Each structure stands twice: as C-alpha cells, then as structure tokens.
Amino acid sequence: MSRIIDLEQKSQFRVLLHPVRQEIVHLLRLADHPLSANGVARRMNLSPVSTQGHLKKLVDLGLVLMETRQGKNGEPVVLYSLDDVDIRLHLGRKDTFQGEREAMAANLVDGVFRGMINTTHLYSEEELDQHSLLRFGALHLSTEERKELAELVANYLDSHGTHTPENAEHWEYVVMAYRAEEPKQ
C-alpha cells in the first residue's frame, strides 16, 4: 500500500512546483530502473551538481528513494527511484495554499496533455488511435457505482504502476472526476 504525503506546508509546494523537479519525477516514473544523479543529469541536460540538489529536495520530501549500491568498479553508486507514494493535494481546502494546490493539479494535468500532444507528432494519422487517446464525457452514476469506479481506477493504477518485463509500453493517464451540478433552468 502506498504511503501518503499530504501537501500542507509551503516548503512542500516549493519543492513540487519547481519545473525541473517535476521533470525529474516524470523521468523517474518512466525509468525502468533506478538512476544515478549523473544519469538524470545527462538525460535532462543539467549539471550533476544542480541535479543532486534537486534530487536531495525530492528525497527530503519523501517522494524519491535514495539507495547506495556497489558499482561495477567496486565503488559505491547512489541511485534514485520514485518511492511508492501518493500525494494528496486537498484541492477543496480553503486555506492560504489554495492557489498552490490548484497550480500543482494544473501542472500535473498539463504535463500529461503536453506529452499527448508531443506524441501526436510522432505517428501518422492511421497510427494515432494506438498511441494517443483523449476521451471525455459525462457519467451518470449512483453513489455505489461512483465508489466502485473510483476503486477500480485506483486499483488498476496501483497494480500497473510498476515496470515489469511484460509491460513494455508506458502510458500516462490523468483521470479527472468531479460531481457536476445540473444546469439551472
């Protein structure tokens, strides 16, 4: 079961709202193995020192794991990977961090959307339905059906969030749902 990080402090938002750190989290999410700071730096065209500083903040937050392993030459190598953590934003909470919560949620959704847009440029029109999907609509559910759907989505994301040899494809999802009020007549 995932550990939960409740975002309730300004320092937490500062860590996660930084665009480079968001890209590092994204990179670690897609990586099929832990990466060294130098490996992250190379992939992102950053300096190793800057990368280590960003990784330290993510480790301190509890989002990234840091482990030391034996390298090929017998020297220790520090590797980084995402921890099994869910971040709880508390979007509806009315406090001094409401703007940060909304910005964080918008950044997450925007990141997946931009990835989808970038993907559309890689494939022919005939291939797009196999590589990029945007669906939206309205569901009319009972309370029990809504709870069942939320549990199914959460369980599916949890059970397929880890790389395995048979899961060669990487798909990113944003599932958004809210209780929409009926239009006033």
Side-chain angles (χ1 to χ4, degrees):
M1 175 142 193
S2 299
R3 191 170 44 84
I4 295 174
I5 296 176
D6 287 303
L7 296 185
E8 296 176 326
Q9 299 170 13
K10 190 170 196 144
S11 61
Q12 293 172 310
F13 287 106
R14 276 195 209 123
V15 169
L16 287 176
L17 282 171
H18 195 287
V20 171
R21 289 184 209 119
Q22 289 177 11
E23 287 184 43
I24 290 172
V25 169
H26 185 253
L27 174 64
L28 292 175
R29 184 182 306 121
L30 293 178
D32 60 354
H33 60 278
L35 299 173
S36 68
N38 286 339
V40 172
R42 272 193 308 278
R43 286 175 174 86
M44 293 184 59
N45 294 320
L46 298 170
S47 76
V49 172
S50 171
T51 302
Q52 286 176 333
H54 289 301
L55 286 165
K56 180 179 180 345
K57 290 181 189 234
L58 292 167
V59 168
D60 291 346
L61 180 63
L63 188 58
V64 170
L65 291 173
M66 179 179 78
E67 65 176 301
T68 304
R69 292 187 187 166
Q70 198 76 15
K72 292 177 185 172
N73 59 1
E75 297 204 14
V77 176
V78 178
L79 299 173
Y80 299 89
S81 61
L82 283 184
D83 198 352
D84 186 17
V85 173
D86 288 332
I87 296 174
R88 195 164 21 200
L89 288 177
H90 300 287
L91 280 172
R93 190 175 284 172
K94 307 287 188 252
D95 61 12
T96 57
F97 301 123
Q98 184 176 358
E100 286 88 346
R101 285 186 175 87
E102 291 172 5
M104 185 77 208
N107 286 343
L108 292 169
V109 172
D110 186 60
V112 173
F113 177 71
R114 290 193 184 285
M116 185 184 82
I117 294 299
N118 291 336
T119 297
T120 63
H121 299 291
L122 300 175
Y123 301 100
S124 69
E125 283 189 44
E126 295 79 29
E127 297 174 300
L128 277 179
D129 64 336
Q130 300 171 30
H131 302 282
S132 179
L133 175 66
L134 176 64
R135 285 200 122 145
F136 60 95
L139 296 176
H140 304 279
L141 305 173
S142 68
T143 301
E144 293 79 27
E145 290 170 325
R146 175 190 49 82
K147 288 178 181 177
E148 179 185 5
L149 179 59
E151 188 174 325
L152 282 169
V153 168
N155 288 339
Y156 203 83
L157 289 171
D158 286 346
S159 66
H160 291 79
T162 304
H163 290 277
T164 60
E166 59 272 5
N167 294 351
E169 293 184 5
H170 303 287
W171 286 79
E172 289 192 76
Y173 280 82
V174 169
V175 178
M176 295 174 53
Y178 68 97
R179 185 176 180 177
E181 297 298 323
E182 293 206 20
K184 305 246 191 276
Q185 304 240 17

